[in-house]
């Protein structure tokens, strides 16, 4: 077992041979062995130093997903620079805000993306060139860079909306990310024989840290494709041992009749996170493939907090117990006392994986952390007698109608169980009478015309009157972000 305390040590202690595959690029992405990736990362680190980037300085990266983006990530780690991954789809005004907040010493960007218009020091890497995108570092030495990060050095800063307001940078140390990588690699039994199918975006913790760092800890390879596509999964998954994804990946796969047990024939575990997996997807996936999806829960500020077990009961609709070394508790929203087993409350977490605070926002430490050092996740949920956590929703998505609390997930599950419904989202909108009114936005299964009045009648039978949506809107699709999360704030604006 690795004793790594930094991501640099984690990479250097990977239990594989130097020429073992690290990145197996697909769909035009390039490939690197462990040794090639590490020496290229050393060259990136020397290039950063030559460009005046000092340890602790931020380096912003806006590129399409590519193997070279992963090399830049490793290069920042080796240089002790703090990587700030940016969504390639971020607009100029979003970037202006993020770059002003992060004040990076260098912006590394693809020539086609908005970050190239920054007035900050800029380096271009053209993702279309594959491995040649990094030709500018060919002359840099491959010797180890002089600075070696410690456990407390910052490794990355990931922008997230957190519980409220504009995006904030979650500042993550080497210790935060390394402890989580080791806990997950052990919990999920990663080894050098693993090949992880990687279809997630790389500007988010799930794709950048959870997937990549688990593979490194085990010494296996990452089969890297630019994006999720059903055809790529049908081609690649049959030779991969692990897949990590968001729930929309799995619902899209199930919508394709070609996907089945044969596609998953060598997969030892299929993992879902970043958004709630419908219990129905869980059940249908098992029926179709024989594989029980392993659902886990985490966030930018903490990486993964809980996971259903690799060996042992995976309970559908739950995100499993806290990982080894991580403490998760549910407290009463008003009294902050521990809730009894099964009672809904605010989820709080502590552990070596939990960040120390938001970048440049010391005033938030008092509100986002408790006096005894737990982070207030902003999620609401329960813990059962076996320690399994169930997420009921985000605190800010809670609906208070006529003074009564309504948890959207309960209503969504009741709606999803109605005939002809593919998916749904329940929101609260301002209402003169009730304070907030419960409103449902529903997507029908292809070819089905929903009877909205009939649905409300059916919901009255299973839900208390105050929980039955006052209005039901049928739409073609719900707005999802890149991680497959339903964007409820957009729905609240639309239906206000
Ligand atoms: P992010 O910081 O973008 O990763 O978003 C984190 C949030 O995603 C969490 O606070 C949860 O609200 C949600 N989330 C992550 N994983 C799950 C899951 N397995 N089930 C339900 N919600 C989840």
């Amino acid at each position: 077992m690795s004793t790594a305390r930094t991501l640099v040590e984690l990479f250097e202690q990977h239990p594989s041979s130097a020429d073992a595959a690290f990145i197996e690029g697909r769909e035009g992405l390039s490939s690197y062995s462990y040794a090639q990736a590490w020496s290229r990362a050393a060259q990136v680190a020397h290039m950063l130093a030559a460009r005046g980037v000092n340890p602790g300085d931020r380096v912003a990266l806006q590129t399409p997903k590519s193997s070279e983006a992963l090399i830049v990530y490793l290069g920042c780690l080796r240089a002790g620079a703090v990587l700030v991954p940016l969504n390639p789809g971020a607009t100029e005004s979003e970037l202006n805000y993020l770059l002003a907040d992060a004040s990076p010493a260098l912006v590394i960007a693809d020539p086609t993306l908005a970050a190239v218009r920054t007035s900050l020091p800029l380096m271009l890497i053209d993702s279309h060139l594959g491995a040649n995108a990094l030709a500018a570092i060919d002359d840099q030495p491959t010797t180890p860079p002089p600075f070696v990060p410690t456990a407390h050095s910052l490794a990355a800063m990931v922008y997230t909306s957190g519980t409220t307001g504009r995006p904030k940078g979650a500042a993550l140390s080497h210790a935060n990310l390394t402890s989580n990588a080791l806990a997950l690699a052990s919990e999920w039994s990663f080894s050098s024989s693993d090949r992880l199918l990687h279809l997630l975006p790389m500007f988010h913790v799930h794709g950048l840290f959870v997937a990549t760092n688990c593979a490194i800890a085990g010494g296996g390879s990452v089969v890297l494709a630019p994006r999720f596509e059903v055809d790529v999964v049908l081609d690649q998954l049959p030779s991969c041992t692990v897949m990590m994804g968001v729930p929309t990946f799995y619902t899209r796969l199930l919508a394709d009749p070609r996907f089945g047990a044969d596609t998953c024939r060598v997969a030892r575990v299929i993992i879902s996170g970043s958004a709630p997996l419908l219990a129905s997807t869980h059940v249908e996936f098992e029926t179709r493939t024989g594989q029980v999806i392993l659902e886990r829960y985490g966030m930018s500020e903490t990486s993964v907090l809980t996971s259903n077990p690799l060996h042992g009961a995976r309970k559908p609709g739950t995100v499993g117990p806290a990982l080894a070394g991580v403490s998760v508790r549910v407290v009463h929203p008003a009294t902050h006392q521990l809730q009894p087993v099964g009672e809904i409350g605010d989820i709080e977490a502590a552990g070596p994986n939990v960040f120390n605070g938001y970048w440049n926002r010391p005033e938030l430490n008092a509100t986002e952390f408790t006096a005894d050092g737990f982070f207030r996740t902003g999620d609401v949920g329960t813990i059962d007698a076996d320690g399994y956590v169930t997420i009921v929703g985000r605190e800010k998505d809670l609906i208070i109608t006529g003074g009564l609390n309504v948890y959207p997930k309960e209503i969504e599950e009741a709606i999803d169980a109605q005939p002809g419904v593919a998916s749904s989202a329940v929101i609260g909108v301002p209402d003169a009478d009730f304070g907030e009114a419960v409103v449902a936005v529903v997507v029908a299964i292809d070819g089905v015309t929903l009877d909205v009045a009939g649905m409300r009648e059916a919901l009255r039978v299973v839900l208390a009157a105050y929980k039955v949506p006052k209005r039901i809107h049928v739409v073609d699709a719900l707005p999802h972000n890149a991680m497959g999360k339903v964007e409820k704030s957009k729905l609240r604006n639309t239906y206000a």
Side-chain angles (χ1 to χ4, degrees), residues 1 15 34 181-197 210-222 241-244 268-269 271 310:
M1 182 42 135
Y34 269 90
L182 291 174
L184 291 175
S186 158
E187 173 72 33
W188 297 336
S189 290
F190 268 84
S191 78
S192 56
S193 44
D194 277 316
R195 299 179 72 236
L196 182 149
L197 183 56
V210 178
T212 315
N213 294 345
C214 275
I216 295 170
S221 70
V222 174
T241 59
V242 182
M243 173 167 169
M244 286 189 191
R268 63 176 188 84
V269 60
I271 301 173
L310 186 67

Side-chain angles (χ1 to χ4, degrees), residues 160 204-205 272-277 295-301 319 377 379 391 394 485:
T160 167
H204 185 272
V205 282
S272 177
S274 288
L277 182 78
E295 187 174 8
R296 91 320 179 267
Y297 153 63
M299 57 200 311
S300 303
E301 293 88 337
V319 293
T377 64
D379 289 314
I391 312 283
R394 296 287 294 165
K485 280 197 248 283

